[in-house]
Amino acid sequence: MSTTEAAAWRNPLRDKRDKRMARIPGPCAVVIFGVTGDLARKKLMPAIYDLANRGLLPPSFALVGFARRDWADEDFSQVVYDAVKQHARTPFRQEVWDRLAEGFRFVQGAFDDDEAFSRLAATLHTLDAERGTSGNHAFYLSIPPKAFPQVLQQLSRTGLAARTDGSWSRVVIEKPFGHDLASAEELNALVNSVFPESSVFRIDHYLGKETVQNILALRFANEMFEPIWNAHYVDHVQITMAEDIGLGGRGGYYDGVGAARDVIQNHLIQLLALTAMEEPVSFSPAELQAEKIKVLAASRLAEPLDETTSRGQYAAGWQGGEKVVGLLDEEGFSQTSLTETFAAITVDVDTRRWAGVPFYLRTGKRLGRRVTEIALVFKRAPHLPFDATMTEELGKNALVIRVQPDEGITLRFGSKVPGNAMEVRDVSMDFSYGSAFAEESPEAYERLILDVLLGEPSLFPVNDEVELSWKILDPALQYWAKNGKPDTYESGTWGPESAFEMLHRTGREWRRP
Ligand code: BG6
């Protein structure tokens, strides 16, 4: 970040730029470690092409792949081409592709190969001189965490991590950010020993989603929601991230990690932070982070854990009209795997605004359907001046932020059923992104990669947020580790019985999205 940019972030009110105008990063190169992986192919390479296609990459841009494969630059280019053709969001344009592909390079090597990293440094220096990437480099670590120390040490050894000449060097880290609080602290210390925190960009791709950013617009750009966004009116909050897919073939990453570490520690706790935090003084990254950190520090698991948490593993069942196998019969999982594919927790947020309002977080694979939503479920009206039979079908009011799919917001409230009686039934009022806006939402990775290149850190969790999230989750992980086997649930349903009991106990129910 330049000094002027840094000053503007510190005091955004002084930055008079029209923030609606797209910003294009200066000359730079992105190096992807883990270029043969799924994430690179399905998300990173297509996002880079989509950014180029939208005119958001600088003319002096280069993409360098680093992997063990014996590839020439042309082979790498072909791999990116195939990924773009298959997964890019925007139409293929030959002239955009040709310009972009001129900046592709491949460096062959393993992470413990000093010479390979020296070749990487030489390749980058040549690109800086010939393509004009000016010494600005982003290193994307799309690799297993056990490889982090080696790569970080190599970047430090070759001088690629440190800068004194006004150019920048940034590191982008994919989750998992550790396995628990202790390992996250260790990882953060390691990363920060090589890169200063301001050069570290931890990816939580949920923060790149439009609907997630809209939580702040909804809350803080309007007058009508914030007055009721508190314990006086809200009975509880449900944050759901449900997927219908199974885990066949993902055993290598997922086995031993499980749903809570994979999704709750990062995506769902970030959604909780945005939903529960106080209004930031401004939208500068530092002010936003300060509020998120405050609310995370005030959050803890509700107890007793045998009543307030649930975890499960999917068994065989039916999904989308097809018979599917259970986790233990999926490729890459052992018959004795204790990994949970469903997890639910209850979080108490000990602040004046939220005291007494449980936040229920749940996620799972092979559930009824793919849906992510945040639902604020309101208290009942203090008095209903109707005959009881007339309000039999009246539920609790709810404000539902539909993160995906069918992105938008729904308000559920009671309305009179047409007819002679005063019968009241639930209805919905809907806002849908698809019909309200002509523009299509960019992919989360487009936004996040662009922000890395611009040095804009708002959408990236800092080390304190990561550590506080583990601190919230750790007691559940330890409790489950002591408890042996997770419960089971049939594929295509909404999770194990224990998840339903968790809410029934308090007279509440999960929403059926
Ligand atoms: C990833 C998890 O972070 O998010 C995956 O590791 C999950 O297990 C994915 O499938 C879901 O992302 P999205 O954007 O499709 O909701």
Side-chain angles (χ1 to χ4, degrees):
M1 205 188 294
S2 71
T3 341
T4 2
E5 275 175 323
W9 288 129
R10 269 197 301 280
N11 187 352
L13 302 178
R14 278 218 201 114
D15 182 6
K16 295 288 186 238
R17 202 163 37 81
D18 182 342
K19 295 270 181 64
R20 289 168 303 181
M21 304 296 285
R23 287 172 73 203
I24 300 174
C28 58
V30 171
V31 180
I32 303 182
F33 296 100
V35 83
T36 52
D38 244 24
L39 183 76
R41 207 164 42 80
K42 289 193 183 147
K43 298 288 182 186
L44 308 183
M45 294 166 179
I48 286 173
Y49 168 79
D50 287 325
L51 286 172
N53 209 7
R54 291 165 62 207
L56 294 174
L57 289 186
S60 296
F61 176 81
L63 174 66
V64 182
F66 184 105
R68 265 189 305 227
R69 303 280 163 93
D70 188 13
W71 283 346
D73 290 345
E74 297 72 47
D75 301 313
F76 173 54
S77 191
Q78 183 63 43
V79 169
V80 184
Y81 181 83
D82 293 343
V84 166
K85 277 287 189 151
Q86 217 185 330
H87 299 290
R89 181 180 65 86
T90 60
F92 188 80
R93 290 197 291 152
Q94 192 66 43
E95 65 281 13
V96 172
W97 170 258
D98 290 343
R99 225 174 315 125
L100 186 66
E102 280 169 20
F104 291 174
R105 301 288 183 278
F106 183 74
V107 177
Q108 196 249 335
F111 298 148
D112 60 354
D113 181 351
D114 288 3
E115 252 180 53
F117 277 83
S118 302
R119 281 202 302 280
L120 174 65
T123 303
L124 287 170
H125 294 145
T126 309
L127 281 168
D128 291 343
E130 290 175 2
R131 199 166 162 82
T133 45
S134 306
N136 298 321
H137 307 143
F139 298 97
Y140 202 118
L141 271 51
S142 176
I143 53 178
K146 66 174 185 309
F148 286 179
Q150 253 174 346
V151 174
L152 289 167
Q153 186 266 325
Q154 295 280 20
L155 293 177
S156 163
R157 189 187 61 79
T158 45
L160 287 170
R163 290 304 145 89
T164 49
D165 57 357
S167 62
W168 52 257
S169 175
R170 299 181 183 137
V171 68
V172 187
I173 307 181
E174 274 289 339
K175 68 178 199 20
F177 313 121
H179 202 69
D180 53 15
L181 176 60
S183 56
E185 284 171 345
E186 224 174 273
L187 176 61
N188 280 333
L190 172 74
V191 175
N192 290 148
S193 70
V194 177
F195 286 92
E197 184 62 14
S198 59
S199 301
V200 182
F201 291 76
R202 295 175 187 79
I203 298 264
D204 183 318
H205 78 281
Y206 264 62
L207 297 180
K209 293 182 191 272
E210 287 287 329
T211 36
V212 172
Q213 292 160 42
N214 193 36
I215 299 170
L216 298 183
L218 176 79
R219 294 190 54 196
F220 303 128
N222 297 303
E223 177 61 359
M224 59 200 261
F225 300 113
E226 209 51 19
I228 53 169
W229 207 272
N230 55 51
H232 295 299
Y233 298 94
V234 176
D235 175 74
H236 69 279
V237 179
Q238 296 188 17
I239 304 183
T240 299
M241 193 272 219
E243 293 182 282
D244 49 6
I245 51 169
L247 284 157
R250 273 192 84 197
Y253 159 68
Y254 201 90
D255 204 9
V257 171
R261 289 185 173 94
D262 184 43
V263 168
I264 294 186
Q265 184 273 335
N266 37 77
H267 307 327
L268 296 198
I269 292 188
Q270 282 291 327
L271 294 183
L272 176 145
L274 295 172
T275 307
M277 69 187 232
E278 295 302 315
E279 183 176 59
V281 175
S282 75
F283 274 89
S284 74
E287 305 290 2
L288 260 175
Q289 275 146 11
E291 291 307 331
K292 275 160 76 185
I293 287 171
K294 253 167 61 187
V295 78
L296 291 175
S299 304
R300 61 180 169 82
L301 286 183
E303 290 182 341
L305 295 177
D306 59 336
E307 293 185 3
T308 59
T309 67
S310 155
R311 114 191 134 125
Q313 195 179 67
Y314 64 82
W318 287 88
Q319 195 124 46
E322 261 179 51
K323 183 113 185 89
V324 293
V325 299
L327 182 84
L328 302 182
D329 292 318
E330 295 276 24
E331 179 204 333
F333 290 86
S334 83
Q335 284 288 328
T336 53
S337 173
L338 296 177
T339 303
E340 86 275 358
T341 58
F342 176 98
I345 59 172
T346 311
V347 179
D348 285 334
V349 181
D350 294 335
T351 61
R352 175 175 281 256
R353 186 194 281 265
W354 292 118
V357 178
F359 282 67
Y360 299 114
L361 277 50
R362 67 174 162 167
T363 184
K365 307 276 182 194
R366 286 266 186 251
L367 297 184
R369 63 178 277 240
R370 173 174 179 257
V371 60
T372 300
E373 63 164 46
I374 301 163
L376 273 78
V377 180
F378 291 89
K379 293 182 173 166
R380 284 194 184 278
H383 168 67
L384 289 175
F386 308 100
D387 190 279
T389 55
M390 291 174 168
T391 52
E392 250 170 25
E393 295 200 41
L394 174 67
K396 288 179 181 162
N397 297 163
L399 178 74
V400 184
I401 299 170
R402 302 194 308 271
V403 174
Q404 66 187 27
D406 187 21
E407 291 78 358
I409 294 171
T410 300
L411 198 57
R412 294 277 292 164
F413 55 96
S415 178
K416 180 181 175 309
V417 180
N420 296 337
M422 182 47 99
E423 188 188 349
V424 184
R425 195 184 291 166
D426 283 343
V427 293
S428 292
M429 210 152 75
D430 265 338
F431 148 65
S432 150
Y433 267 83
S435 46
F437 297 111
E439 300 89 344
E440 229 188 272
S441 295
E443 258 282 317
Y445 276 96
E446 286 171 54
R447 171 68 196 263
L448 296 175
I449 292 173
L450 185 65
D451 280 2
V452 170
L453 304 183
L454 289 166
E456 162 39 275
S458 304
L459 300 179
F460 300 87
V462 289
N463 49 12
D464 289 347
E465 287 170 71
V466 170
E467 289 173 17
L468 285 166
S469 307
W470 282 117
K471 203 167 164 199
I472 296 169
L473 191 61
D474 263 6
L477 297 173
Q478 285 156 11
Y479 167 73
W480 288 329
K482 269 191 255 139
N483 263 19
K485 259 181 88 60
D487 302 331
T488 54
Y489 59 99
E490 195 180 317
S491 286
T493 65
W494 283 95
E497 203 39 51
S498 55
F500 292 94
E501 281 162 21
M502 184 180 140
L503 263 68
H504 280 164
R505 235 175 237 120
T506 64
R508 300 181 174 107
E509 265 181 67
W510 288 109
R511 282 172 41 79
R512 277 284 164 109

